[in-house]
């Protein structure tokens, strides 16, 4: 007689409750509305969309050019009306390639990039589209009237996006790095309740070192891993400060950069981050309720994974010291609406000393002439560069030989 047994059990339970005829549920804090971050599968590149609990939308990066026929319809599906903000972390093709098409398709109210110039045709074209289609152009720099206060953007329901870097002209752009374009990526922390997401573009070790000098709380539940899991970024001291519980690596299946590298994967593993990869798992959707973040990859091992948010204090922990040990500030002019002219920050030329650089036919990277990868390559069709500056304009340095 299971029913009788159930009644009996209920009676015993009620009798055990002191002074109460019937249990009343404990008052619970109302569940926070979800914040969703989509890490799109754009192949070798980055693109992530933030949708706040109140429906505010921020697109960070727009993948490589070849992602346009998947990225544009996907953003259109998720976004009604113009994007509230588009952030280009830095003007490399794997981050800006499909951005103009996305902006043309859905529109955007505001556009932000580091303000660090890059002499590429695709970046010029993007700025032209921004000039025609986007109302407001901004940089992550603090407001000149409050240079110690980081720029924050409210997205409703207590969700904030805090811009951590770069802070030019208050702090100089980082120079003499492996890639100054990467090193000056926009770094932004998205916080919601006890949870946080850190977006670092293709930040270089120098970016991480610069950030660690600042009194900033980097603790983040989810880290968008720098430079597609490249070998040099995601240094141990930086990861120790971020303490990510989950790490999302955006890269292409079978890419010829060797991303993600074993070194980066090891360092992420060492801090206990669960790793999600768009090359293996497709789009990764992360939903925060303010206390936990649930990450669901679209394919592969697609079991949703929930990670706990840690209590995060105010992002800035004290007065922001100014950069003292940096190179001289580079002047920065944000173009007026409708023009792409006026950006005067320039990428410093790298001195070369007779080294030649070689790219295999069809490859997007270049190697040192003596790199073993070139010796092993089947194709003999290759492009030879006599100066690095030209090679960098057309292709990207390979991870294996660090040209
Ligand atoms: Zn880059
Ligand atoms: Zn990149």
């Amino acid at each position: 007689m299971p029913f009788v047994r159930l009644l009996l059990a209920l009676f015993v339970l009620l009798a055990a409750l002191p002074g109460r005829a019937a249990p009343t549920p404990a008052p619970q804090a109302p569940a926070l509305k979800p914040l969703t971050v989509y890490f799109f599968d754009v192949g070798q590149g980055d693109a992530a969309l933030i949708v706040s609990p109140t429906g505010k939308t921020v697109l960070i990066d727009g993948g490589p050019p070849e992602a346009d026929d998947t990225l544009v319809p996907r953003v259109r599906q998720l976004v009604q009306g113009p994007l509230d903000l588009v952030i280009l972390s830095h003007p490399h093709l794997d981050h800006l390639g499909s951005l103009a098409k996305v902006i043309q398709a859905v529109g955007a109210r505001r556009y932000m990039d580091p303000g660090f110039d890059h002499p590429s045709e695709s970046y010029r074209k993007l700025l032209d589209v921004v000039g025609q289609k986007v109302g407001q152009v901004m940089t992550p720099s603090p407001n000149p009237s409050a240079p110690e206060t980081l720029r924050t953007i409210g997205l409703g329901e207590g969700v904030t996006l805090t811009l951590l870097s770069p802070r030019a002209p208050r702090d100089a752009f980082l120079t003499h790095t492996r890639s100054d374009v990467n090193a000056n990526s926009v770094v932004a922390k998205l916080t919601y309740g006890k949870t946080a997401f850190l977006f670092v573009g293709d930040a270089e070790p120098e970016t991480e070192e610069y950030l660690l000098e600042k009194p900033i709380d980097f603790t983040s539940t989810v880290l968008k891993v720098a430079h597609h899991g490249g070998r040099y970024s995601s240094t141990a001291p930086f990861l120790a400060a971020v303490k990510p519980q989950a790490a999302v690596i955006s890269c292409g299946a079978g890419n010829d950069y060797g991303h993600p590298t074993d070194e980066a994967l090891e360092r992420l593993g060492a801090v206990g981050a669960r790793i999600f990869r768009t090359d293996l798992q497709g789009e990764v959707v992360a939903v925060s309720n303010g206390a936990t973040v649930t990450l669901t990859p679209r394919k592969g091992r697609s079991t949703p994974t929930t990670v706990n948010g840690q209590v995060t204090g105010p992002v800035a922990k004290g007065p922001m010291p100014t950069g003292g040990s940096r190179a001289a500030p580079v002047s920065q002019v944000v173009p007026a609406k409708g023009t792409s002219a006026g950006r005067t920050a320039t990428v410093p030329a790298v001195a070369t000393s007779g080294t030649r650089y070689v790219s295999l036919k069809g490859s997007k990277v270049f190697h040192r002439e003596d790199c073993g990868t070139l010796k092993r390559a089947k194709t003999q069709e290759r492009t030879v560069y006599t100066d690095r500056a030209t090679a960098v304009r057309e292709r990207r340095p390979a991870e294996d030989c660090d040209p």
Side-chain angles (χ1 to χ4, degrees), residues 180-197:
D180 293 345
V181 179
N182 283 347
N184 292 290
S185 287
V186 174
V187 176
K189 184 177 176 180
L190 176 73
T191 50
Y192 185 36
K194 293 176 178 177
T195 68
F197 295 73

Side-chain angles (χ1 to χ4, degrees), residues 273-293:
R274 291 176 214 204
I275 291 165
F276 294 82
R277 293 172 52 169
T278 61
D279 60 333
L280 302 179
Q281 297 164 295
E283 183 178 305
V284 177
V285 183
V287 180
S288 168
N289 62 8
T292 60
V293 181

